[in-house]
Amino acid sequence: MSGDLTKIDAFDMKILSVVQLDAGLSQRDLAEKVGLSQNACWRRLQRLQSLGLIRGSHTDIDLQALGLDLTVFVMIRTRHHSKEWSDGFRTHVSRLPEVIDFYRIGGDWDYLIKVVTKGMSGYDAFYQKLITNFDLATVTGFFSMEAIINNRPVDIVRLR
């Protein structure tokens, strides 16, 4: 991916910006929005995918409408920092269906997990699964009351 990134031009950036907002656009609509022919747009889209800049498409689902009404940011501090422990913990957390984001972070905490679940009892069930067979120094949850900005598309043109 590294060498070909120097060949990303304004049309490519426009394509990335548009598909980030709506990956469900038809090829014709995408080409129209970025100012290219349908064929040229398709070739660029294929190239961006082959470079790994586009890694699939996603649909935004209203989780609250499905009863997943609680979002918790779980902060974890551990006494263990070996690769073996970390690999095992990653595997364990990755298997928990409530986890929608999982980060290893720097600073006072070691991990940040974003969880969605059905209410407090759902979070408690998640918590019990999380701590099973893992020695965690500290686990604390921060409960979201309102998502002010959520899944905001990145302004790649201005940030590049």
Side-chain angles (χ1 to χ4, degrees):
M1 180 165 83
S2 58
D4 289 334
L5 286 181
T6 58
K7 299 176 185 171
I8 301 298
D9 65 13
F11 283 114
D12 294 329
M13 292 299 287
K14 205 168 188 182
I15 290 169
L16 292 171
S17 294
V18 171
V19 297
Q20 181 180 217
L21 293 172
D22 186 356
L25 285 174
S26 69
Q27 287 182 20
R28 181 180 354 161
D29 290 341
L30 176 60
E32 199 173 286
K33 283 185 181 278
V34 299
L36 289 170
S37 72
Q38 198 170 334
N39 287 338
C41 186
W42 182 84
R43 283 191 302 274
R44 285 175 177 265
L45 192 59
Q46 294 302 304
R47 183 174 154 271
L48 294 169
Q49 289 172 338
S50 71
L51 288 172
L53 290 169
I54 298 174
R55 299 181 300 203
S57 61
H58 307 277
T59 300
D60 188 17
I61 297 171
D62 184 347
L63 297 176
Q64 285 198 343
L66 293 174
L68 299 168
D69 59 348
L70 182 63
T71 300
V72 184
F73 297 92
V74 181
M75 304 294 293
I76 297 172
R77 190 177 292 126
T78 180
R79 291 183 270 284
H80 307 279
H81 297 279
S82 71
K83 180 171 178 9
E84 295 77 24
W85 188 92
S86 178
D87 288 348
F89 187 62
R90 287 172 188 230
T91 299
H92 173 64
V93 172
S94 297
R95 290 182 178 145
L96 301 174
E98 300 89 348
V99 174
I100 62 169
D101 288 312
F102 180 33
Y103 301 93
R104 185 173 60 88
I105 58 176
D108 291 337
W109 297 92
D110 297 309
Y111 296 96
L112 167 65
I113 302 172
K114 184 177 179 184
V115 171
V116 294
T117 190
K118 290 183 179 185
M120 192 58 69
S121 62
Y123 174 67
D124 185 49
F126 162 80
Y127 176 83
Q128 296 303 321
K129 290 186 287 187
L130 175 68
I131 64 172
T132 299
N133 300 322
F134 280 92
D135 178 28
L136 303 173
T138 308
V139 178
T140 191
F142 295 94
F143 304 95
S144 172
M145 296 187 306
E146 174 187 14
I148 298 168
I149 297 176
N150 188 35
N151 296 320
R152 172 195 245 175
V154 177
D155 189 344
I156 56 177
V157 174
R158 287 192 2 203
L159 292 177
R160 185 165 187 231

